[in-house]
Amino acid sequence: MGQITLQQVTKNFGDVQVIPPLDLTIEDGEFTVFVGPSGCGKSTLLRLIAGLEDITSGTILIDGADATAISPAKRGLAMVFQSYALYPHMSVRKNIAFPMRMAGVDKAEQDRRIEQAATALNLTDYLDRRPGQLSGGQRQRVAIGRAIVREPAAFLFDEPLSNLDAALRVGMRLEISELHKRLETTMVYVTHDQVEAMTMADKIVVLRAGNIEQVGSPLDLYRTPRNVFVAGFIGSPKMNLIEGPEAARHDAHTIGVRPEHIDVVETDGQWQGRVGVAEHLGSDTFFHVHDTGLAEMLTVRVAGEVNLRHGDTIHLNPRADQIHRFDDKGLRIQ
Amino acid sequence: MATKASRSAARLMMAPAVILLLGWMLVPLCMTLYFSFKKYLPLRGGDLGWVGFDNYVRFFSSSAFWPSVIATLVIVGGVLAITVVFGILLAILLDQPMWGQGIVRILVIAPFFVMPTVSALVWKNMFMDPVNGLFAHLWKFFGAAPIEWLSQASMTSIVIIVAWQWLPFATLILLTAIQSLDSEQLEAAEMDGAPPLSRFGYITLPHLNRAITVVVLIQTIFLLSIFAEIFVTTQGSFGTKTLTYLIYQRVLESQNVGLGSAGGIFAVILANIVAIFLMRIVGKNLDA
Ligand SMILES: Nc1ncnc2c1ncn2[C@@H]1O[C@H](COP(=O)(O)OP(=O)(O)OP(=O)(O)O)[C@@H](O)[C@H]1O
Ligand SMILES: [Mg+2]
């Protein structure tokens, strides 16, 4: 069990309101990801759920019971910190055993759970090392191991992969996703990397300045962003946002087209521009297109390899059914 | 310093400092050794020739020797215990966010800037004086007979005075160590279900290990040779005669340089024994 409900939760640091009144329900077994730009209050929200910060007003329910005044230890949640927060003077085994030792789990059961976690996380060979003698990825797994053995109602992750290199990050992303499939425990995951959010989440919560901009499945957010902010934030590379006459032609203040929804044609495109930087990824190529008269720059995805060079003229056709329209308040027009 | 070339360069660079320090140390040590084998009484005939181990035997077998060693160790042990325990408590207290933190920190550090002679005199006359001292007034206020601190509780008094001087040093080192503790570790322990005392025991204290080692080693070096505090208070009476004070008496009061030098060598040996013990107990913390 691990349903978490926030009702009208706010948080002030001194006079500054970091989280304005916020309602959110995280269902049991769901993998929920908080994304948003730096400083938008993701960590703060997670720490409020964990109980490491007191909420200023509102209620937090865990499995329907009021947990607002309950201490972090008693909420039955486990947290994995960005810095891993391993205990440096304890061996990996002792690190993983620590929460069980505090809970008074008997020795045989402790060993059983450590063995199980170590096998699942590929840590068996490192159990007697100190955290200082491990690589970043291994430390990360120890931190996860320490969280697993508590058999918590929910896991809280605060940017757990941001200290890892790109290849390792992809690997750990998969491992965490698999862990979630296997344990079927609620997970709340904070990141500012929208690729992580898209690939791992059942549900994404997009935050800006403490406000929830949109909640939905990754594809919901991709297909129907509720406003300009979400449209620009979800998707990689970013959606092209166009204002002015071209937008007016579609009866909107702003229109948005994703780079993958613009076709390159030989001649007579609706839009034309000059090719700038080309990012060749092998499978795809992203062209930066300038001088279109629509926006500073448009990004266009072309599958495979294309013979266009810096300075060439390029003709573009946006797919009509993939144009997102937004009004002057930035909200989506259906 | 990984390569051979950089290692030998480093040796060359360090040589002047090492040679200077060695000379600084070796010359007095050799002179002490030299005098310790002589009968040398400056006011009663001067250099009276070699006497072999006579001075050592006399110093060692004098009735004042063992009590002075014990007095020295009691003072060192007592002061270390007080400064480490209260140092940790004060450091934790000073680490809490509070109003006027900067000023409080400076006030706590202040005793360290007071010269030992001055602080001992202040303690002796203002606090521990059986007639006018603040403690005497306090005792009288509660209807008790004032304690004659320096004669009835001489050892305790000296330990209190010296501990008061060294507490800021311990607090300062331990405070910087506490401040370097990653707060996420404490939060992780909190989430793992550790109550405050366990958090202190399992996280904070191990983190302080190295700082405590430094405090203990450095203080021991200085505490083995405290002198002024005894000189201006009890003058070595009432069982407060430390090894240092005994040597002082032999050299200056009895004008026996040879005997004092032999005592000096004993002091060096005692310091080394203490150092070896300390290294065994706490020194391994410095390796990690
Ligand atoms: N202890 C604190 N005291 C005062 N302000 C704070 C405190 N902690 C966070 N803040 C402020 O609250 C806001 C949200 O911080 P938070 O750490 O939640 O951001 P974040 O979304 O996690 O950002 P990042 O992606 O950079 O980690 C920031 O503007 C920050 O300055
Ligand atoms: Mg953060």
Side-chain angles (χ1 to χ4, degrees):
Chain A
M1 282 297 282
Q3 189 204 42
I4 301 167
T5 311
L6 309 185
Q7 293 173 344
Q8 291 294 305
V9 167
T10 68
K11 176 68 187 174
N12 294 14
F13 285 115
D15 299 335
V16 188
Q17 186 165 56
V18 177
I19 309 280
L22 178 146
D23 290 292
L24 179 68
T25 303
I26 296 163
E27 296 298 341
D28 183 32
E30 209 169 43
F31 197 119
T32 303
V33 174
F34 294 168
V35 277
S38 189
C40 69
K42 308 181 292 290
S43 299
T44 308
L45 196 54
L46 198 70
R47 291 166 60 81
L48 290 175
I49 295 174
L52 293 171
E53 303 277 359
D54 292 325
I55 60 174
T56 307
S57 69
T59 320
I60 294 179
L61 305 176
I62 296 177
D63 288 333
D66 189 347
T68 315
I70 294 181
S71 74
K74 302 236 164 66
R75 293 191 187 192
L77 309 175
M79 184 146 166
V80 176
F81 292 83
Q82 183 174 359
S83 67
Y84 315 142
L86 300 178
Y87 312 127
H89 51 275
M90 295 184 201
S91 66
V92 169
R93 181 187 298 279
K94 289 217 173 106
N95 261 285
I96 297 178
F98 189 74
M100 295 188 281
R101 212 161 129 200
M102 289 298 117
V105 176
D106 72 70
K107 195 80 183 69
E109 174 68 8
Q110 282 190 22
D111 287 342
R112 194 187 65 75
R113 286 199 218 166
I114 292 174
E115 219 48 58
Q116 207 176 3
T119 315
L121 294 165
N122 256 329
L123 286 170
T124 323
D125 295 340
Y126 309 106
L127 280 177
D128 294 315
R129 294 215 202 156
R130 297 274 179 97
Q133 300 162 319
L134 299 178
S135 74
Q138 289 162 348
R139 279 181 220 183
Q140 183 59 66
R141 288 205 288 266
V142 176
I144 294 174
R146 191 172 64 182
I148 293 179
V149 295
R150 291 184 54 196
E151 300 178 347
F155 290 94
L156 310 176
F157 294 92
D158 191 356
E159 307 206 20
L161 307 186
S162 57
N163 290 344
L164 302 180
D165 70 48
L168 208 51
R169 209 177 307 173
V170 175
M172 284 305 296
R173 214 158 71 195
L174 285 174
E175 281 186 39
I176 294 178
S177 292
E178 265 166 30
L179 191 70
H180 177 245
K181 297 263 152 30
R182 196 150 42 82
L183 299 177
E184 294 179 333
T185 312
T186 314
M187 292 191 175
V188 184
Y189 188 104
V190 164
T191 179
H192 58 249
D193 179 350
Q194 57 93 20
V195 177
E196 269 175 34
M198 293 294 283
T199 51
M200 301 171 85
D202 294 326
K203 180 158 96 185
I204 297 182
V205 178
V206 183
L207 291 164
R208 176 169 59 165
N211 287 301
I212 294 182
E213 295 290 316
Q214 188 169 2
V215 180
S217 73
L219 284 181
D220 277 349
L221 266 58
Y222 179 81
R223 289 197 191 118
T224 50
R226 213 168 61 89
N227 56 31
V228 173
F229 178 80
V230 177
F233 198 80
I234 298 291
S236 169
K238 283 179 60 162
M239 182 187 280
N240 298 299
L241 294 170
I242 299 162
E243 293 179 2
E246 182 65 21
R249 227 166 49 78
H250 290 86
D251 296 323
H253 181 265
T254 311
I255 57 169
V257 194
R258 296 195 184 277
E260 53 270 40
H261 297 148
I262 301 179
D263 295 317
V264 176
V265 288
E266 296 283 321
T267 48
D268 293 335
Q270 262 185 54
W271 301 338
Q272 321 183 344
R274 200 170 40 73
V275 175
V277 174
E279 297 176 55
H280 297 279
L281 302 182
S283 59
D284 298 315
T285 305
F286 293 105
F287 287 106
H288 293 192
V289 180
H290 301 276
D291 299 333
T292 52
L294 304 167
E296 183 94 350
M297 182 196 91
L298 296 182
T299 315
V300 181
R301 189 188 78 168
V302 180
E305 296 160 42
V306 180
N307 235 344
L308 277 168
R309 282 207 309 266
H310 194 276
D312 287 357
T313 303
I314 187 170
H315 293 265
L316 307 171
N317 267 340
R319 294 180 198 161
D321 56 342
Q322 297 284 8
I323 294 177
H324 304 268
R325 299 183 305 140
F326 303 97
D327 65 18
D328 55 351
K329 292 194 190 67
L331 292 177
R332 183 181 188 81
I333 305 172
Q334 282 306 335
Chain B
M1 279 195 272
T3 66
K4 229 179 210 170
S6 65
R7 256 200 304 271
S8 59
R11 271 202 208 115
L12 202 68
M13 305 284 189
M14 287 189 318
V18 171
I19 289 169
L20 189 72
L21 275 175
L22 216 61
W24 206 269
M25 222 177 68
L26 280 182
V27 171
L29 186 66
C30 290
M31 283 179 68
T32 312
L33 261 176
Y34 171 80
F35 282 123
S36 70
F37 292 109
K38 293 206 129 187
K39 192 175 171 80
Y40 186 64
L41 308 165
L43 296 182
R44 287 170 283 156
D47 190 347
L48 299 176
W50 299 97
V51 290
F53 281 94
D54 244 24
N55 286 326
Y56 288 92
V57 176
R58 270 184 64 196
F59 195 91
F60 189 76
S61 55
S62 93
S63 61
F65 177 72
W66 283 113
S68 76
V69 170
I70 290 168
T72 310
L73 294 180
V74 167
I75 290 180
V76 171
V79 173
L80 281 181
I82 292 178
T83 49
V84 169
V85 170
F86 284 88
I88 291 174
L89 293 179
L90 265 177
I92 290 174
L93 214 63
L94 289 180
D95 190 41
Q96 310 298 321
M98 59 178 171
W99 190 81
Q101 199 170 38
I103 291 184
V104 172
R105 281 188 191 168
I106 289 175
L107 283 179
V108 168
I109 309 305
F112 205 48
F113 299 126
V114 179
M115 278 176 279
T117 333
V118 176
S119 84
L121 281 173
V122 168
W123 273 95
K124 177 187 175 186
N125 295 320
M126 284 184 64
F127 289 98
M128 294 175 168
D129 191 283
V131 181
N132 296 319
L134 283 179
F135 287 157
H137 285 300
L138 194 68
W139 257 245
K140 274 186 242 163
F141 179 79
F142 287 108
I147 300 177
E148 291 186 29
W149 283 92
L150 290 173
S151 48
Q152 288 172 353
S154 49
M155 213 49 167
T156 318
S157 310
I158 302 258
V159 169
I160 290 175
I161 295 173
V162 178
W164 181 80
Q165 282 169 28
W166 282 94
L167 192 54
F169 172 78
T171 308
L172 199 62
I173 302 244
L174 294 170
L175 178 62
T176 56
I178 282 189
Q179 285 172 337
S180 73
L181 175 59
D182 178 10
S183 65
E184 285 199 345
Q185 269 178 39
L186 287 175
E187 286 175 348
E190 194 178 345
M191 299 243 10
D192 283 346
L197 264 183
S198 302
R199 290 207 287 278
F200 174 77
Y202 286 111
I203 314 294
T204 312
L205 212 51
H207 176 78
L208 290 181
N209 231 335
R210 209 178 287 196
I212 293 175
T213 308
V214 169
V215 167
V216 167
L217 289 181
I218 292 184
Q219 284 200 15
T220 305
I221 295 169
F222 287 92
L223 293 177
L224 278 171
S225 59
I226 56 158
F227 177 79
E229 293 83 348
I230 298 170
F231 184 73
V232 302
T233 54
T234 60
Q235 301 254 328
S237 48
F238 309 114
T240 59
K241 195 181 290 170
T242 60
L243 200 51
T244 326
Y245 204 84
L246 184 66
I247 295 165
Y248 158 79
Q249 283 188 333
R250 290 292 179 266
V251 174
L252 274 153
E253 289 179 7
S254 337
Q255 286 291 332
N256 191 337
V257 173
L259 195 57
S261 297
I265 298 300
F266 276 123
V268 170
I269 293 170
L270 176 71
N272 276 294
I273 292 173
V274 172
I276 288 170
F277 262 102
L278 284 177
M279 283 306 214
R280 274 279 166 81
I281 301 166
V282 293
K284 62 176 188 296
N285 293 332
L286 291 176
D287 298 340

